[in-house]
Amino acid sequence: MTISSTVRKAGPFDGTGSQTEFPFEFKVFSAGDLYVVQYNETSEVETALALHEDYTVTLNEDQNEDPGGTVELNSALAVNYTLTITSSLANLQPTDLTNRGGFYPSVINDALDRAC
């Protein structure tokens, strides 16, 4: 997959007191690759939310052709709160290419996608 954007962030989304679904448009390999944070504008406190406890994720089926998905909070984001979705992927390069091994372009593409 070619990368047309290096932005791995969605939001901040302003809380309305009724909205629970928030889209993001960057590639991830699993729901656990996301870092979701809510910020209380009144108290100026930032809180990391927990997957399955505070929110669920629906990923688009083909992350190469249609990256992203939707984060759904278990309860609506309150007024005076914002929500930001970003990547939690570590800055590691776990792909190991060996001499005389099979060369699969998808392996290289995924490794490079992780780097962004």
Side-chain angles (χ1 to χ4, degrees):
M1 160 185 161
T2 60
I3 299 174
S4 58
S5 173
T6 58
V7 177
R8 295 190 84 146
K9 178 180 171 185
F13 300 99
D14 292 325
T16 63
S18 62
Q19 184 178 3
T20 59
E21 294 186 358
F22 302 89
F24 64 96
E25 296 179 346
F26 53 88
K27 181 177 180 177
V28 294
F29 296 90
S30 71
D33 292 342
L34 293 175
Y35 181 65
V36 181
V37 177
Q38 74 176 11
Y39 177 72
N40 182 327
E41 296 172 342
T42 305
S43 66
E44 299 182 351
V45 173
E46 184 176 277
T47 306
L49 302 182
L51 180 61
H52 304 300
E53 291 177 31
D54 301 312
Y55 67 94
T56 58
V57 177
T58 303
L59 297 178
N60 295 342
E61 191 170 316
D62 187 346
Q63 288 293 301
N64 289 322
E65 295 298 322
D66 184 24
T70 304
V71 168
E72 184 172 358
L73 299 180
N74 293 344
S75 58
L77 186 64
V79 175
N80 294 326
Y81 280 78
T82 60
L83 185 84
T84 302
I85 305 165
T86 188
S87 172
S88 70
L89 287 175
N91 292 324
L92 302 174
Q93 196 289 92
T95 303
D96 184 21
L97 302 173
T98 59
N99 287 331
R100 298 183 187 208
F103 178 81
Y104 302 100
S106 62
V107 172
I108 300 297
N109 283 334
D110 284 346
L112 293 173
D113 289 346
R114 289 181 67 87
C116 292

